[in-house]
Amino acid sequence: MEERVILAIDLKSFYASVECKRRNLDPFSTPLVVADLFRGDGTIVLAASPSIKERYGVKSRCRLSEVDRNIPGLIVARPHMQSYLEESAKVNSVYLDYVGEEDLHVYSIDESFLDVTHYLKRGKDSPESYARKILSDIQRRLGLVATCGIGPNLFLAKCAMDQEAKKRKDRLAHWRKEDVPEKLWNVFPLSKLWGIGSRMERRLLSHGFATMGDIAVSQESYLQKLFGVIGRDLYQHAWGEDDAQIQEKYRSKQETIGVGEVLLRDYDSSELPTLVHDLVLELAENLARKERLAGRILLQALTKDGEAFQLLLEMEEKTDSSFALWEKIKDNLPKEEGRKYRRIHLVALSLFSRKEVQRTLFYDEEKDRREKRLEETTRKIRKEYGTNKAMPCSALLPSSTYWMRSQQIGGHHR
């Protein structure tokens, strides 16, 4: 079987680089962090420019309060998610000049995998020369710098990128299976590796596994006994094996549509109705856009300490109506006094298309048609003239986050 050639490409300090590009500045000489000052000093730094990382040790995902505000020329850039999405789309169009759509997997907004196995012979390229063409094209056309790991599978390509390419001046590293004992087995701590979080790292350490080398000399059956199917994956990865294919796109068996929010302050139970109503409107709009009806609704509200109120409701009629969803939820909200909430999630489960649904004898078709016509009208107004032209009255309440969320993408400034 022909060995595959996989490229894992990551855009270096992507958000920060886009902000520097917006200002015609060089990210390698500009001290810039991307963070929303509106959220206060406790907000997360989404990205830091290479300059500020290398000179001052500022890390992405730290708190803004941890950044020395006396750094000469420091720029705190408010995130612009729409710009990042647009730039990411442009990068993907560059990738599609080098591989077909079936051989591209967009892993995140700034990271992708490319299977270039069948494209190298066309230009008599080596894996390294083909990767350099792509990186050079991204920089020439978009002014963005990228790093690339090359490997025979997704796991080794990602490891090559994370563990070596990001540290090299040429931003390129190629890991082969024969490199595994030297380059992979001694990586410490294990949480530096793709797919191993801090919790799994603690579990592995509790059983005496501190490195991939320790896992490699264990037995696959023993690892499966300890960790289930994950144990099998860990053993295979320790030997540089990974049978996942880019062409076999993952499809979730259970489709869900959800909305959620991390709140900027503590909210008590008396304020939850307004917050949940905001989310109901957004969820109903997402359902309508994806042409799905919800059969069940899951509501979860969490305190700062992670204590949760959870509510699972069965809808009498499958629906995408905000009126019906709110009617079902409003009388079941938590009422405990003194409890403060910091996160809230609303998820639509058991989804159906309208064609699949068999209505009950009690279904009020006329009422459903009226509500749908009203919602479609308000959505058209918002889309054409702006969100504030068709807001619910509850959006004017102090506890509402409707207006703020309408100005965001993915929870960040648009």
Side-chain angles (χ1 to χ4, degrees), residues 19 22-23 33-38 76-80 84 413:
E19 290 301 332
R22 285 165 58 92
R23 294 163 171 78
V33 294
V34 180
D36 195 344
L37 279 168
F38 174 77
V76 180
R78 193 177 191 189
H80 295 86
Y84 309 151
H413 185 249

Side-chain angles (χ1 to χ4, degrees), residues 17-143:
S17 294
V18 173
E19 290 301 332
C20 286
K21 180 180 173 181
R22 285 165 58 92
R23 294 163 171 78
N24 294 316
L25 298 172
D26 179 5
F28 290 90
S29 61
T30 304
L32 180 145
V33 294
V34 180
D36 195 344
L37 279 168
F38 174 77
R39 296 172 179 246
D41 271 3
T43 191
I44 295 290
V45 171
L46 298 179
S49 66
S51 167
I52 202 170
K53 283 181 179 178
E54 293 163 11
R55 292 185 195 175
Y56 301 100
V58 175
K59 298 179 180 179
S60 297
R61 314 309 297 180
C62 69
R63 299 282 178 181
L64 186 58
S65 57
E66 299 172 48
V67 178
D68 182 0
R69 304 293 273 276
N70 295 315
I71 294 173
L74 174 67
I75 298 173
V76 180
R78 193 177 191 189
H80 295 86
M81 294 306 297
Q82 188 63 46
S83 294
Y84 309 151
L85 292 170
E86 290 169 359
E87 288 295 320
S88 180
K90 292 175 186 176
V91 173
N92 291 332
S93 70
V94 174
Y95 294 149
L96 291 172
D97 287 341
Y98 290 88
V99 296
E101 191 173 348
E102 68 278 6
D103 293 315
L104 170 66
H105 173 62
V106 179
Y107 182 63
S108 67
I109 193 171
D110 60 351
E111 196 169 332
S112 294
F113 292 96
L114 289 72
D115 186 338
V116 301
T117 309
H118 303 301
Y119 302 91
L120 301 179
K121 294 177 183 177
R122 296 187 309 185
K124 298 181 179 178
D125 278 293
S126 67
E128 289 84 357
S129 66
Y130 204 68
R132 286 192 182 96
K133 285 180 180 179
I134 298 173
L135 300 191
S136 176
D137 219 3
I138 291 171
Q139 189 163 10
R140 179 180 60 83
R141 289 163 61 177
L142 303 175

Side-chain angles (χ1 to χ4, degrees), residues 146-391:
T147 58
C148 178
I150 307 170
N153 53 55
L154 274 72
F155 179 72
L156 281 187
K158 182 80 162 80
C159 288
M161 181 185 71
D162 288 340
Q163 306 304 321
E164 186 177 350
K166 290 181 178 181
K167 302 170 187 175
R168 292 172 58 106
K169 288 186 177 179
D170 63 358
R171 308 186 307 281
L172 195 68
H174 190 168
W175 283 21
R176 300 166 179 84
K177 289 183 182 178
E178 55 264 33
D179 297 321
V180 164
E182 177 191 351
K183 294 185 175 183
L184 179 65
W185 283 2
N186 293 318
V187 173
F188 181 84
L190 280 167
S191 54
K192 283 185 175 181
L193 293 170
W194 186 36
I196 300 181
S198 57
R199 184 178 297 179
M200 176 55 73
E201 181 189 49
R202 288 194 297 272
R203 287 184 65 194
L204 287 163
L205 282 170
S206 71
H207 292 284
F209 300 108
T211 65
M212 273 297 193
D214 297 332
I215 294 171
V217 297
S218 183
Q219 292 184 325
E220 183 176 353
S221 58
Y222 176 65
L223 288 161
Q224 278 194 277
K225 185 178 179 181
L226 290 176
F227 306 108
V229 69
I230 295 174
R232 170 187 168 275
D233 293 339
L234 285 168
Y235 184 78
Q236 288 194 343
H237 287 171
W239 285 100
E241 302 286 348
D242 183 4
D243 54 13
Q245 300 282 328
I246 286 176
Q247 293 77 13
E248 298 170 359
K249 306 294 186 185
Y250 174 75
R251 294 288 183 268
S252 173
K253 292 181 180 179
Q254 183 179 9
E255 184 185 7
T256 63
I257 296 175
V259 292
E261 185 172 9
V262 177
L263 303 167
L264 298 182
R265 63 173 176 83
D266 290 332
Y267 278 71
D268 61 41
S269 56
S270 65
E271 297 176 290
L272 279 186
T274 303
L275 288 171
V276 174
H277 187 257
D278 290 343
L279 295 184
V280 164
L281 294 174
E282 188 174 346
L283 180 62
E285 190 162 346
N286 291 343
L287 284 166
R289 186 171 63 251
K290 296 181 180 181
E291 299 182 341
R292 290 291 182 268
L293 304 179
R296 289 188 297 163
I297 297 295
L298 173 66
L299 172 67
Q300 190 179 57
L302 295 96
T303 66
K304 190 186 296 185
D305 299 324
E307 295 180 17
F309 166 86
Q310 191 161 293
L311 182 68
L312 182 62
L313 298 170
E314 195 86 24
M315 303 299 297
E316 285 80 11
E317 297 284 353
K318 280 70 174 177
T319 187
D320 61 359
S321 164
S322 63
F323 296 100
L325 293 173
W326 177 240
E327 190 66 30
K328 186 70 176 179
I329 293 171
K330 66 178 183 179
D331 294 327
N332 292 286
L333 295 174
K335 297 178 175 63
E336 308 100 306
E337 292 184 8
R339 216 173 205 199
K340 303 294 183 181
Y341 296 95
R342 291 301 292 264
R343 282 185 291 161
I344 188 165
H345 305 280
L346 187 62
V347 184
L349 307 167
S350 302
L351 302 184
F352 301 84
S353 73
R354 282 188 173 270
K355 295 176 183 177
E356 295 176 303
V357 172
Q358 178 68 46
R359 295 299 187 182
T360 71
L361 292 172
F362 304 101
Y363 172 57
D364 189 337
E365 186 174 358
E366 180 57 33
K367 180 184 177 185
D368 186 54
R369 189 183 295 114
R370 283 198 312 270
E371 290 176 354
K372 192 161 188 64
R373 191 161 57 239
L374 176 59
E375 289 185 315
E376 287 176 351
T377 301
T378 55
R379 287 168 193 158
K380 284 178 182 177
I381 293 171
R382 285 197 288 266
K383 184 176 181 180
E384 189 164 347
Y385 300 105
T387 304
N388 64 336
K389 300 301 182 184
M391 294 192 300

